[in-house]
Amino acid sequence: DTGVSQDPRHKITKRGQNVTFRCDPISEHNRLYWYRQTLGQGPEFLTYFQNEAQLEKSRLLSDRFSAERPKGSFSTLEIQRTEQGDSAMYLCASSLAWGPDEQFFGPGTRLTVL
Amino acid sequence: AQTVTQSQPEMSVQEAETVTLSCTYDTSESDYYLFWYKQPPSRQMILVIRQEAYKQQNATENRFSVNFQKAAKSFSLKISDSQLGDAAMYFCAYRSARSEKLVFGKGTKLTVNP
């Protein structure tokens, strides 16, 4: 068990470009989450998958954001036409079951939009 | 909407001493879960302790314990015998039993002085 992994760890892009991040959850975990964390703030929920189904989305997830988990394993988060306000740490987490079960977080992808 | 408030942006403690981090939350629901997560510098977030709202007994994990006051909507974290490795950002988080979304506070930066 290697934990939740995210790729890339850092991404610098120019405004208007598209970016895609990948998250690999812990292998047996069927739930996967994306959060965004800006400087000085706690993480904010973006979206959640159970297997391949996207079951919950935040209003923060504008039309420029899309997330997929096509085979119920890894997930991708794409941001189209990036804006400077998209600069943040994008965190992925996974968990095994419902209720108080722990969400295990990955190291995050830090996005800087110039 | 649920909110989580951490009123102490920064706290410091001497090694081997005890420190308490404060957290209050706002919800109209009766069934929910509360968490404290630790985020060391440049490292991923890990769960410190969790509490189910229906349980009256306060959760304890080794040197970490909580004071859960449901009526007051308060959920403080006590760290006993503080160690240098406890230095980190600490986030209080809430999750409704009806949702997978974690709602985080802004965090408290804990410094441990040798």
Side-chain angles (χ1 to χ4, degrees), chain A residues 62-74:
Chain A
S62 75
D63 292 345
R64 297 185 297 107
F65 287 70
S66 62
E68 294 184 343
R69 194 182 183 197
K71 297 183 179 180
S73 56
F74 73 92

Side-chain angles (χ1 to χ4, degrees), chain A residues 10-28:
Chain A
H10 303 272
K11 179 70 177 179
I12 300 174
T13 191
K14 293 183 179 178
R15 190 175 52 188
Q17 297 295 304
N18 299 343
V19 294
T20 300
F21 310 141
R22 176 179 171 126
C23 170
D24 287 88
I26 294 171
S27 58
E28 67 270 22

Side-chain angles (χ1 to χ4, degrees), chain A residues 9-10 37 39 89 91 106-108 110, chain B residues 37-46 83-91 108-112:
Chain A
R9 295 291 305 277
H10 303 272
Q37 185 177 20
L39 201 61
M89 178 75 84
L91 298 171
R110 181 167 296 284
Chain B
Y37 276 87
K38 170 185 177 182
Q39 189 175 40
S42 301
R43 296 183 61 185
Q44 55 212 73
M45 198 168 313
I46 57 174
Q83 301 175 359
L84 295 177
D86 294 334
M89 285 293 292
Y90 285 81
F91 292 97
T108 296
K109 181 180 180 181
L110 178 66
T111 301
V112 181

Side-chain angles (χ1 to χ4, degrees), chain A residues 3-4 9 31 33 35 37 40-45 48 50 56 58-59 89 91 95 97-108, chain B residues 1 6 33-35 37 39 42-48 50-52 54 89 91 95-107:
Chain A
V4 178
R9 295 291 305 277
R31 289 170 165 79
Y33 314 82
Y35 292 85
Q37 185 177 20
Q41 303 292 320
E44 295 174 292
F45 173 82
Y48 147 66
Q50 181 174 328
E56 196 169 351
S58 165
R59 286 172 296 175
M89 178 75 84
L91 298 171
S95 73
W98 180 250
D101 264 35
E102 177 180 357
Q103 291 184 18
F104 291 83
F105 282 82
Chain B
Q6 294 180 248
Y33 312 101
L34 296 165
F35 306 83
Y37 276 87
Q39 189 175 40
S42 301
R43 296 183 61 185
Q44 55 212 73
M45 198 168 313
I46 57 174
L47 180 68
V48 174
R50 81 191 90 188
Q51 175 83 40
E52 291 93 326
Y54 66 85
M89 285 293 292
F91 292 97
R95 190 167 90 216
S96 164
R98 300 187 298 161
S99 171
E100 288 285 340
K101 174 177 71 174
L102 282 171
V103 178
F104 287 86
K106 290 187 176 183

Side-chain angles (χ1 to χ4, degrees), chain A residues 42-62:
Chain A
E44 295 174 292
F45 173 82
L46 292 177
T47 191
Y48 147 66
F49 290 86
Q50 181 174 328
N51 299 312
E52 65 274 10
Q54 189 173 19
L55 297 184
E56 196 169 351
K57 290 172 62 172
S58 165
R59 286 172 296 175
L60 292 174
L61 213 65
S62 75

